[in-house]
Amino acid sequence: MAPLIVELKKLSKLDVKLCITGQHREMLDQVLALFNLTPDFDLEVMRKGQDLTDITIAVLNGMRDVFRLYKPDRVLVHGDTTTTLSASLASFYAGVKVGHVEAGLRTGNMLSPWPEEANRQMTSVLADRHYAPTNQARDNLLAENVSADQIIVTGNTVIDALLLVSSSLAGNDSAMSSLAQQFYFLDPNKKLILVTGHRRENFGDSFESICIALAKLASRSDVQIVYPVHMNPNVREPVSRHLRGLENVFLLEPLEYLPFVHLMNISYLIISDSGGIQEEAPALGKPVLLMRETTERPEAVESGTVRLVGTNTEKIVNAAILLIDNEEEYRRMSIATNPYGTGTSCKTIGEDLCGGR
């Protein structure tokens, strides 16, 4: 949402306020700083040991307090988080219209990803403006009887953010030098595999299988694995148990956006269970092996930039080895067209909010 907020603040027709929930404070603050954003409201909902019910209640209560101070004409929410659903419901209770950015993504399975699939479906019921990233997302909404005049295909704002930051890196020798120092331990003669993994539906046995697969890949002398490890203990415990101390594996604390974009740029391939990376990596020409059984972004799979491998150890290992050893297969995935836009999503949404569409 950061590039969208930046774009909307440029428009004289709009009075824009930014509300954050305050989850994962360290990660949030660096993004705000990167895009030079200052929140107008901070719900500060993060509490140790909280669950989804706690977060939902905290956001509902926090948004109610915000609406007592400031009554907007519209609230914009993004994607499929618990915050997205809760803020949409609070807006509905307050009689405020909801615009859903990244609307229309579907797997059709309420348990995969969980709880995101339910969050985005329920948000679509509450929203009256749907900013769909692709034509397929638009078709999903139409199939659910959303009116065509409420849907605008915009591309995805994540591409706007990625291209903005990537271009700023390319022209900044000082930043590149600093990043090289930060990742001094990387061997340019080895193929870099960047890993992210944090989905709730993978907690437990699936994460055990993922870690075993990464350990097997790390036994190859021609690769190195960098894994910024999510703060959730359901992720940290198995990752540490299986991967800590392995020669070709570097377990890092969660990274700021700028160095993470740098790692994507210099990686050979990315193994992930993330949603956004399915869109970001193809924009940089990086193949993605997706550790999920289903995806709400089938366009990436259909275009050839993303391959579903699930969480089975052998499937992950075999798919990665194929890309490492087969140059033609790697080339086929790395040059596939990114279906998620060219970086103009924020401008399109701004024009709509100003009545220009």
Side-chain angles (χ1 to χ4, degrees):
M1 288 291 266
L4 178 58
I5 298 163
V6 171
E7 175 66 25
L8 298 185
K9 283 181 174 290
K10 297 176 184 176
L11 303 176
S12 60
K13 289 185 178 182
L14 303 180
D15 175 36
V16 180
K17 302 293 185 187
L18 172 58
C19 178
I20 62 171
T21 60
Q23 299 174 72
H24 304 306
R25 175 66 61 181
E26 298 83 1
M27 299 167 71
L28 170 65
D29 286 346
Q30 57 87 14
V31 172
L32 294 172
L34 180 62
F35 288 90
N36 195 28
L37 295 173
T38 302
D40 299 283
F41 304 102
D42 186 346
L43 305 188
E44 298 183 297
V45 306
M46 199 66 178
R47 299 290 184 272
K48 186 177 180 179
Q50 65 187 358
D51 59 17
L52 294 176
T53 300
D54 297 321
I55 297 171
T56 300
I57 293 169
V59 174
L60 279 169
N61 286 333
M63 290 299 295
R64 180 184 59 188
D65 293 341
V66 169
F67 289 142
R68 288 170 176 165
L69 298 172
Y70 180 75
K71 186 70 177 286
D73 297 296
R74 178 173 298 283
V75 166
L76 294 181
V77 298
H78 178 274
D80 51 24
T81 64
T82 302
T83 292
T84 299
L85 173 59
S86 303
S88 299
L89 185 57
S91 300
F92 175 73
Y93 287 160
V96 178
K97 294 180 179 180
V98 174
H100 188 193
V101 180
E102 197 186 71
L105 278 63
R106 297 290 186 270
T107 65
N109 181 351
M110 282 291 189
L111 299 179
S112 180
W114 179 89
E116 287 84 358
E117 179 72 9
N119 288 342
R120 54 184 168 237
Q121 287 200 33
M122 289 188 280
T123 297
S124 292
V125 174
L126 297 169
D128 78 309
R129 209 68 176 150
H130 307 263
Y131 299 112
T134 66
N135 287 324
Q136 187 158 344
R138 178 181 185 273
D139 291 343
N140 291 339
L141 292 165
L142 291 173
E144 296 171 1
N145 297 315
V146 175
S147 175
D149 62 7
Q150 294 181 331
I151 308 170
I152 297 175
V153 177
T154 62
N156 202 312
T157 58
V158 71
I159 303 301
D160 297 44
L162 177 68
L163 296 180
L164 182 65
V165 170
S166 189
S167 63
S168 69
L169 273 178
N172 190 328
D173 292 340
S174 175
M176 292 301 293
S177 176
S178 176
L179 289 166
Q181 292 177 20
Q182 182 176 353
F183 301 112
Y184 68 91
F185 48 83
L186 294 179
D187 184 345
N189 297 312
K190 294 184 179 183
K191 292 176 177 175
L192 173 60
I193 300 175
L194 177 61
V195 177
T196 72
H198 66 276
R199 307 296 289 201
R200 289 175 181 269
E201 69 265 27
N202 284 342
F203 291 172
D205 290 344
S206 291
F207 245 99
E208 297 286 333
S209 298
I210 288 170
C211 291
I212 293 169
L214 296 175
K216 287 187 175 182
L217 289 172
S219 68
R220 291 181 58 121
S221 61
D222 58 345
V223 304
Q224 53 193 342
I225 296 173
V226 173
Y227 188 170
V229 184
H230 196 275
M231 292 180 287
N232 193 304
N234 292 295
V235 176
R236 293 205 159 207
E237 192 282 324
V239 167
S240 180
R241 177 161 37 87
H242 286 284
L243 301 176
R244 189 166 300 281
L246 296 186
E247 183 178 355
N248 290 329
V249 177
F250 301 95
L251 302 179
L252 309 181
E253 292 300 307
L255 289 172
E256 297 182 357
Y257 186 60
L258 196 65
F260 187 78
V261 170
H262 173 69
L263 283 181
M264 283 198 291
N265 266 318
I266 65 174
S267 68
Y268 182 78
L269 71 91
I270 299 175
I271 302 177
S272 178
D273 62 8
S274 168
I277 283 177
Q278 297 173 60
E279 300 168 336
E280 293 173 311
L284 300 174
K286 308 299 178 178
V288 177
L289 299 180
L290 184 63
M291 299 183 294
R292 287 164 58 177
E293 303 301 330
T294 59
T295 178
E296 65 280 15
R297 294 168 171 86
E299 301 93 339
V301 177
E302 292 164 5
S303 70
T305 62
V306 172
R307 181 167 298 160
L308 278 170
V309 295
T311 58
N312 177 271
T313 296
E314 295 308 313
K315 284 186 178 180
I316 296 170
V317 171
N318 291 340
I321 289 175
L322 178 63
L323 290 173
I324 293 168
D325 292 342
N326 189 319
E327 292 184 5
E328 178 59 28
E329 186 67 20
Y330 181 86
R331 187 191 68 82
R332 187 180 300 116
M333 284 190 73
S334 64
I335 67 171
T337 303
N338 184 2
Y340 297 106
T342 58
T344 60
S345 306
C346 298
K347 185 174 185 295
T348 301
I349 294 171
E351 289 173 351
D352 178 66
L353 291 171
C354 291
R357 293 176 61 85

